[in-house]
Structure formats: structure tokens, C-alpha cells
Amino acid sequence: MGKVLMKGNEVIAEAAVHAGCKYFFGYPITPQSELVAYMARRLPEVGGLFLQAESEVAAINMVYGAAGTGVRVMTSSSSPGFSLKQEGISYLVGAELPALIVNVVRGGPGLGNIQPAQSDYFQVTKGGGHGDYHTPVLAPSTLQEIIDLTEAAFDIADQYRTPVILLGDGMLGQMMEPVEFKELSEREPVQKEWATTGTRGDGKPRIISSLELNADALEKKNELLQKKFAMIKQNEVRYETFEIEDADYIVTAYGTAARIAMNAINKARKDGLKIGMIRPITLWPFPEQPFIETRDRVKGYLSVEMSAGQMVEDVRLAVEGRAPVSFFGRTGGVVPTQEEIYDQIVKLAGGVEV
């Protein structure tokens, strides 16, 4: 298949089908409703199942049931609906069930609006539900990258038996770009011997549950989960850098904000300012290494976000006070412009704290 022009929400859906997902349970909410509509049409064509649940709570619990059989399954929502899924996500982690959960973020808090935002960063990276847990979070910045990361999300979910979050925003969901669906990668298929597909009398019953009433046993289970999270941190960190080798200052941003910031950085470079970029692709695990490698030689960092300042906290933790970390963001669905980011870079390079 050559390049095709598609909307972001539909790219997510088709990428999931391309990766072998045949089961979708969800509920429409703007700005991701096209994803739900696309799956309603597409999954029957490939012998799959689409079901519009009565609520987001119902949808995430249906995902739990399907994931328990070992199939590739997903759900999607936007910020208020994603909040309703938090208990179910915690259950998925506790039961060690793989699934893809998409959040096309919109402005908040509360019902907010349907404009693009990045204000769900804390929720997705710090564990939005109850208990000590993390979920891998992948944040694409282009529609082509959505395809790559959707495939990767399913692979990571299967390999580590964990739900994975694909984090977009209203702009990525609604924009259109040419994309190409390529051959799948060669990651080793995972044998799901734990799946509850029936023993047919030839083995021990398989039970999947997040319930453990014995405190000592639950502590041991938590210790095993923490070891798994440590493995994910060791093996699955993803990021991209641009011109950081000679940079005096480094801008860091993800998703849509990174696309816009890159234009501002290119303009700054043309104007003689030595500016680089670190773009986190995994928001959890957060890519600390490029900050560790640069924090003793750069003059400062600028975190650009479509929020009141959330990822900037992880940047500061990685930098450990070795260099100043500034912040610029817009909230409520307002998207920062190239000119605004450029002005912040000029202020920073001129020694004005921003």
C-alpha cells in the first residue's frame, strides 16, 4: 500500500487493525469520535468485533474481559472519558493484562472544551488510578509516528503483560497527513499461556484476578510488578534529539507542542542561536538520559507544553538542579504559536528567566 491521506483518529484505528487488533470497546467523545466510528465500520471487515458500550466504565471492563482471553484489544476516549476508565486501568495492571488505551486529550479541567491540550500528563505518567503502578505511555508527534507507536504499543503490552497508553491530543486526532502502512516489525511473538481460553481438561484452571486478600502475598505481587516496571524503564525508553551537541540551550516538548517548537528552534538556529531539542516519545518511562548527558554543559532548558506545567517537573527531576529549567505553556485548549515559542527562546538566550 502506498501513501494515503487520512485523519489522525482514523490512522490510530487503522494502525491498530494493521497490528492485529480485532476487538474494540468504547464510547464516543469529541475529539476522538472518528476513531470509534472507523472501528465500527472496519472491524467487521476483518472478522473482528466492535461494541459501543453504555459508558466508559463499561468499555474498560469489557477490555478487561477480552484481554483475559489473550486477544489484542483496545479502547479509546478523551480526557473526561479517560478519567472514568481509571479504576479499570488499575485492574488491568493488577491482573497483568495487555491492552491499548488511547487518550486524545482535550482542554480541561472538568468538561472543559474539545480543543487540543496536554494537561493529562500527570494522570497518565503518575498512575491515574489507585495503587502503586505505572503504564507505559507513548506520545507521537506525527500521524506516521502514530502508526509506528501503535504497533509498538501492542508489542510492549504483550511482552510485559501490561496496558499501554497512546497519548495524543485534539489536533493530532483531527489533522490530516499522508501516511504509509508498512510491514510489521519482527518483534518475537509472545505465547500467552496464561490466557483464559479453556483447558479442555488437559491442564490446571487458569485464573486471572487483581484480588489478593493476604497482605504478605499482595506485597510479593507488588514487588514483582515493580521489577517489571524496572525492566520497562531499562528496555523501552524512547526519545529523539535535535542539534543538542553544540546547544547552549535545549527546548523539550512532546506531541503537537514539539512540532511547533521545532519550527521555532529552526528559526532560532538561522538567527545564530545555538538551540537544541529533546523530544520525549515515551512519557513513562521518562527519558532521563539525554538530560543527564547535557545538564552539566548547557546553560538552561525550556519545557514547552500545552498545559500549566506538568512534564517540566520530570525535566527538573532529571536535571537535578545542575542547570536552570524554565517553562512556557498555554492552557485550556490554546495552542502555543511558533512566534510565542521563538520569543521565549530569545528571552532565555538573552539571560531573561521565563
Side-chain angles (χ1 to χ4, degrees):
M1 179 188 294
K3 287 190 175 183
V4 291
L5 185 65
M6 295 182 71
K7 178 175 283 194
N9 284 326
E10 296 179 343
V11 171
I12 298 172
E14 184 60 36
V17 173
H18 190 66
C21 175
K22 291 188 176 182
Y23 300 90
F24 179 95
F25 306 93
Y27 190 82
I29 178 174
T30 311
Q32 63 84 56
S33 293
E34 294 91 348
L35 198 166
V36 180
Y38 189 94
M39 281 301 206
R41 175 183 63 81
R42 186 74 172 97
L43 284 179
E45 296 176 351
V46 296
L49 172 69
F50 166 88
L51 195 153
Q52 179 174 312
E54 63 268 32
S55 70
E56 290 87 353
V57 175
I60 194 66
N61 283 284
M62 292 174 184
V63 168
Y64 182 105
T69 69
V71 300
R72 286 195 160 180
V73 59
M74 71 175 289
T75 187
S76 66
S77 194
S78 184
S79 305
F82 185 78
S83 293
L84 292 171
K85 297 178 187 288
Q86 295 311 305
E87 180 187 44
I89 295 173
S90 178
Y91 277 39
L92 285 165
V93 175
E96 297 189 84
L97 291 176
L100 174 62
I101 304 162
V102 177
N103 183 4
V104 181
V105 183
R106 68 189 228 179
L111 283 175
N113 59 29
I114 62 173
Q115 307 305 319
Q118 295 180 328
S119 47
D120 293 359
Y121 180 93
F122 283 156
Q123 187 178 44
V124 298
T125 61
K126 310 303 181 185
H130 58 286
D132 289 316
Y133 76 89
H134 291 284
T135 50
V137 182
L138 301 170
S141 66
T142 68
L143 302 198
Q144 186 64 50
E145 192 175 36
I146 282 176
I147 298 174
D148 300 335
L149 294 185
T150 299
E151 174 192 342
F154 278 112
D155 288 342
I156 292 169
D158 283 346
Q159 181 173 343
Y160 297 98
R161 287 186 61 181
T162 182
V164 176
I165 295 171
L166 185 75
L167 191 74
D169 61 65
M171 182 171 286
L172 282 171
Q174 294 296 319
M175 70 167 52
M176 297 186 75
E177 287 182 336
V179 296
E180 183 176 4
F181 293 88
K182 304 174 183 177
E183 291 295 322
L184 296 177
S185 67
E186 298 297 325
R187 189 180 287 225
E188 191 71 24
V190 176
Q191 299 300 317
K192 300 178 180 179
E193 299 178 356
W194 47 265
T196 55
T197 53
T199 64
R200 297 171 179 82
D202 295 330
K204 294 181 179 180
R206 300 168 187 170
I207 300 174
I208 293 175
S209 176
S210 63
L211 177 67
E212 179 51 73
L213 296 178
N214 181 280
D216 290 334
L218 185 55
E219 183 177 48
K220 289 181 180 179
K221 182 174 183 178
N222 271 276
E223 290 171 352
L224 291 174
L225 286 174
Q226 293 302 318
K227 287 181 180 179
K228 176 166 67 176
F229 300 149
M231 288 179 59
I232 295 172
K233 289 184 71 173
Q234 180 178 344
N235 299 328
E236 302 298 340
V237 174
R238 296 170 183 239
Y239 61 90
E240 181 180 73
T241 63
F242 173 76
E243 300 283 9
I244 64 171
E245 292 78 15
D246 69 339
D248 291 328
Y249 296 91
I250 292 177
V251 174
T252 182
Y254 70 91
T256 293
R259 293 173 65 122
I260 303 168
M262 181 60 74
N263 290 329
I265 290 168
N266 285 330
K267 184 177 188 307
R269 279 267 168 184
K270 289 180 181 178
D271 292 344
L273 299 176
K274 294 182 178 180
I275 311 297
M277 171 178 269
I278 297 173
R279 179 174 72 93
I281 298 173
T282 51
L283 304 185
W284 192 90
F286 187 74
E288 299 173 347
Q289 194 58 36
F291 295 95
I292 292 172
E293 292 174 355
T294 57
R295 65 192 183 188
D296 288 325
R297 60 176 175 79
V298 301
K299 298 177 181 179
Y301 299 85
L302 174 64
S303 184
V304 177
E305 306 173 41
M306 289 151 53
S307 76
Q310 298 189 19
M311 185 181 73
V312 65
E313 294 194 6
D314 283 334
V315 175
R316 287 174 176 145
L317 286 171
V319 173
E320 292 186 331
R322 308 286 186 89
V325 178
S326 300
F327 167 76
F328 174 70
R330 299 298 302 268
T331 64
V334 178
V335 179
T337 66
Q338 172 186 329
E339 291 75 21
E340 289 174 330
I341 298 172
Y342 176 81
D343 288 345
Q344 295 295 312
I345 290 172
V346 171
K347 289 180 182 178
L348 186 65
V352 179
E353 187 173 348
V354 295

